[in-house]
Amino acid sequence: MSKLSDFRKSYELGELNEAEAADGPLALFQRWMDEAIAHDVSEPTAMTLATVGAGNRPSTRVVLLKGCDARGMVWFTNYESRKGEELAHNPFAALQFHWVEMERVVRIEGCVEKTSDEESDAYFKSRPLDSRLGAWASPQSRVISTRAVLVANAAKAAVQHGLNPDRPPHWGGYRLVPDRFEFWQGRRSRLHDRLCFRLNADAWLRERLAP
């Protein structure tokens, strides 16, 4: 293994100034997301979701952003998974997007709520059939003996639910309602740009943070 402490990278692709963030955090996030997609960033909607369980032990995993508007950031998953159980205990969470190719990071924090049944149903119906059956087949985060269990469950789900399966009651959407955004743009000499937005009453307070 190479000596990890020897790895170095100079960040030189962009900058982030206050004028670019004048329209607020949501507009800036949507613009950065559009730019990530336009630049063919690998998995631009992939985000790390951090939650905290009953024992105050944090955990992270990668989920996919499926909606973004003034109400918040939406993803879909199994409510009975580890993240679902942790969110039921502590509804506060953090998201992080890392667009390596653009030397950018976005961090978002806030309270999490479930989406409506109508939203969850609409998205579930838009998924490929195999993914819909997979939602029935996988006891997410539970111990299983072998992969054959998943294969057998998927076959059973296909027989039981056919070509138009309903959404499982344990599966649906979450929405993080942001109260904090941070935008990070890599710069030379580790003098990175960091702009933070904190929700203060009904207004966003913008601050520049030292890197």
Side-chain angles (χ1 to χ4, degrees), residues 46-50 59-63 94-98:
M47 56 187 185
T48 299
L49 166 65
S59 64
T60 66
R61 73 288 290 159
V62 176
V63 297
L95 304 172
Q96 177 172 293
F97 296 83
H98 187 190

Side-chain angles (χ1 to χ4, degrees), residues 149-164:
V149 172
L150 288 179
V151 176
N153 285 352
K156 182 179 178 181
V159 172
Q160 288 182 335
H161 301 286
L163 298 177
N164 191 27

Side-chain angles (χ1 to χ4, degrees), residues 102-122:
M102 303 184 74
E103 299 175 353
R104 288 175 171 174
V105 173
V106 182
R107 298 167 59 193
I108 308 171
E109 300 174 17
C111 188
V112 178
E113 60 190 24
K114 288 182 178 180
T115 61
S116 68
D117 288 342
E118 291 77 14
E119 289 177 273
S120 294
D121 287 340

